Amino acid sequence: MAAASSLTARPGAALTGSVPAPGDKSVSHRALILGGMATGVTDIEGLLEGEDILATARAVAAFGAGVERVGPGRWQVTGHGGFRQPDTVIDCGNAGTGVRLLMGAAAGYPIPVTFDGDASLRKRPMKRVTGPLGDMGARFEWLGDEDRLPLRLTGGALKGLTFTQTVASAQVKSALLLAGLNASGHTEITEPERSRDHTERMLRAFGAEVQVTEQGQGWRIRLAGGQPLTGAAVSVPGDPSSAAFPLAAGLIVPGSAVTVENVMLNPLRTGLFDTWREMGADLEITNRRESGGETVGDITARHSALTGVVVPEARAASMIDEYPILAATAAFASGQTVMRGIGEMRVKESDRIALMARGLVACGVAVEEEPEGLIVTGGPVPGGATVDTAHDHRIAMSHLVLGLAAQHPVTVCDPEMIATSFPGFVALMQGLGADIEAG
């Protein structure tokens, strides 16, 4: 797949079968980073071995930790109680989560570090993290355009920070908490809405004390500086963001019944599933159980007659990465699906609002694009288009799923970036009966 210049999805037979969910991307990043900051051995099971995560693994090794792959999805990180000065540029590839969390972690140590990434990552704003880290005492030098990679960070001598987010962001929150571990005093973060809490959960697993207090629709997180971390065993649950793609195909391809196993059911990550149910989706969750501090379960999606809904804006933080695939499924729903309060999508790997609108329109779907929103009017989807993905994995996968239920094939360009988050996506979908081919 890496050499393919395009992928084409064609409508065909019903999709059936059970597949495992790939390891959660957010948890995988954090397991590697915390393992590198800790003292002792961290054994990780189920690590997502996508390009973004492998970039973080290389970075953690460059910071002085022992990082070894001991089997499929099984990794061992041996930490030495903190980051050491790397002798190379920390190249995070396309990993926005990786670079922002690594900057937060590195800021706590008295070392200079240069961070860089690929052409896509160089376009993504960094001041949302460097600003508050600078207020804690970290120093930054822009080596190219301001607010963009590459940059040089010099850390150490940090002071705790009281910070109120205007928009809930797990990346910003996590960067500040990781920096706060090695700051004097307390670091306190208030969120207007709840963002994913994997960092708080995992910090506790590594021995840190984190206080979380509900505050309206959001919460306040407080962490004392000077807390050492100890290596831990981490079992990575399946990624709901990745599970969304085969499940969406199950909902929109007639006659289908698709099961994805071991999906994380953390309520801060299941906004898409709640939305689909409101649209009339036949989703069944079985085999609920606890794994690695998270609730997981097996989700079965059956072909459903969907109806458009207005997605609550407060739900955005729990499903910000899933709006592209929601937009694709909304194309098959009767009526309008209104998605607002999602301006964050414009500063992801691409401008996902613009690209989804453009791709859906090319496929014959009625779409209204707003500055911070998208309105999709569903109905029969002609398809028959070639979609520009701008090297964005979620745009590519969303349109491939769309093509499986459209009237005519849908082709996406530059599909190699799918490997950043979902290696094996094409083979998995083909195993369910999907007609997706290169060329």
Side-chain angles (χ1 to χ4, degrees), residues 57-68:
R58 290 190 293 269
V60 170
F63 280 118
V67 180
E68 181 183 5

Side-chain angles (χ1 to χ4, degrees), residues 304-375:
S304 305
L306 302 177
T307 302
V309 296
V310 177
V311 184
E313 293 187 28
R315 195 174 287 168
S318 71
M319 56 180 289
I320 194 65
D321 287 332
E322 286 77 70
Y323 279 96
I325 190 61
L326 173 60
T329 52
F332 297 90
S334 62
Q336 289 189 330
T337 298
V338 180
M339 298 162 271
R340 292 194 170 111
I342 56 173
E344 176 77 7
M345 284 180 62
R346 292 200 184 274
V347 290
K348 290 288 186 176
E349 283 83 336
S350 68
D351 181 342
R352 287 179 172 165
I353 292 178
L355 277 178
M356 280 308 301
R358 196 179 309 152
L360 291 175
V361 168
C363 291
V365 180
V367 179
E368 297 175 45
E369 180 182 344
E370 298 179 346
E372 296 197 9
L374 201 61
I375 301 173

Side-chain angles (χ1 to χ4, degrees), residues 9-386:
R10 297 176 175 84
L15 307 184
T16 58
S18 297
V19 292
D24 186 76
K25 191 176 177 183
S26 296
V27 174
S28 294
H29 279 302
R30 288 159 172 80
L32 290 167
I33 294 170
L34 288 174
M37 298 175 73
T39 298
V41 175
T42 294
D43 288 307
I44 307 171
E45 295 275 355
L47 188 85
L48 175 67
E49 294 178 330
E51 291 299 324
D52 282 5
I53 303 303
L54 296 180
T56 294
R58 290 190 293 269
V60 170
F63 280 118
V67 180
E68 181 183 5
R69 183 180 189 267
V70 295
R74 295 177 54 234
W75 289 66
Q76 189 173 86
V77 180
T78 303
H80 304 291
F83 282 5
R84 301 172 181 174
Q85 182 176 334
D87 58 9
T88 185
V89 171
I90 301 299
D91 185 346
C92 292
N94 190 243
T97 298
V99 71
R100 291 181 177 126
L101 269 58
L102 284 164
M103 282 195 287
Y109 303 102
I111 56 174
V113 186
T114 299
F115 288 95
D116 203 354
D118 66 9
S120 173
L121 191 57
R122 282 187 169 197
K123 295 177 182 177
R124 300 181 67 178
M126 294 294 148
K127 278 190 175 179
R128 60 180 57 190
V129 171
T130 64
L133 287 176
D135 292 339
M136 296 178 77
R139 289 163 287 160
F140 294 91
E141 177 186 356
W142 305 107
L143 302 180
D145 294 339
E146 187 172 344
D147 195 25
R148 300 291 189 269
L149 297 177
L151 63 79
R152 182 176 294 114
L153 176 158
T154 303
L158 301 187
K159 295 181 180 180
L161 176 75
T162 297
F163 182 74
T164 299
Q165 295 202 74
T166 55
V167 176
S169 168
Q171 289 183 2
V172 174
K173 172 180 66 177
S174 298
L176 299 183
L177 290 175
L178 295 180
L181 283 171
N182 292 298
S184 61
H186 286 81
T187 295
E188 185 173 289
I189 302 156
T190 300
E191 292 189 311
E193 297 166 3
R194 300 179 182 184
S195 68
R196 57 188 64 177
D197 62 349
H198 306 309
T199 299
E200 296 94 308
R201 289 171 180 258
M202 199 170 291
L203 280 169
R204 294 189 186 105
F206 279 78
E209 183 178 339
V210 185
Q211 299 172 350
V212 179
T213 306
E214 289 191 19
Q215 184 166 306
Q217 295 298 313
W219 47 29
R220 181 186 294 118
I221 305 99
R222 196 167 192 260
L223 174 142
Q227 299 190 63
L229 302 179
T230 302
V234 179
S235 178
V236 180
D239 191 341
S241 299
S242 296
F245 296 101
L247 291 174
L251 293 177
I252 64 175
V253 176
S256 296
V258 170
T259 298
V260 183
E261 303 165 345
N262 195 44
V263 181
M264 181 199 298
L265 299 175
N266 184 314
L268 299 174
R269 295 288 301 280
T270 55
L272 175 64
F273 305 148
D274 296 336
T275 302
W276 274 343
R277 284 198 182 93
E278 291 168 3
M279 296 173 74
D282 182 351
L283 288 180
E284 181 184 9
I285 299 176
T286 57
N287 195 21
R288 286 181 182 264
R289 57 203 183 277
E290 294 299 313
S291 175
E294 297 279 1
T295 301
V296 300
D298 304 337
I299 305 180
T300 299
R302 299 179 181 87
H303 178 243
S304 305
L306 302 177
T307 302
V309 296
V310 177
V311 184
E313 293 187 28
R315 195 174 287 168
S318 71
M319 56 180 289
I320 194 65
D321 287 332
E322 286 77 70
Y323 279 96
I325 190 61
L326 173 60
T329 52
F332 297 90
S334 62
Q336 289 189 330
T337 298
V338 180
M339 298 162 271
R340 292 194 170 111
I342 56 173
E344 176 77 7
M345 284 180 62
R346 292 200 184 274
V347 290
K348 290 288 186 176
E349 283 83 336
S350 68
D351 181 342
R352 287 179 172 165
I353 292 178
L355 277 178
M356 280 308 301
R358 196 179 309 152
L360 291 175
V361 168
C363 291
V365 180
V367 179
E368 297 175 45
E369 180 182 344
E370 298 179 346
E372 296 197 9
L374 201 61
I375 301 173
V376 176
T377 301
V381 178
T386 296

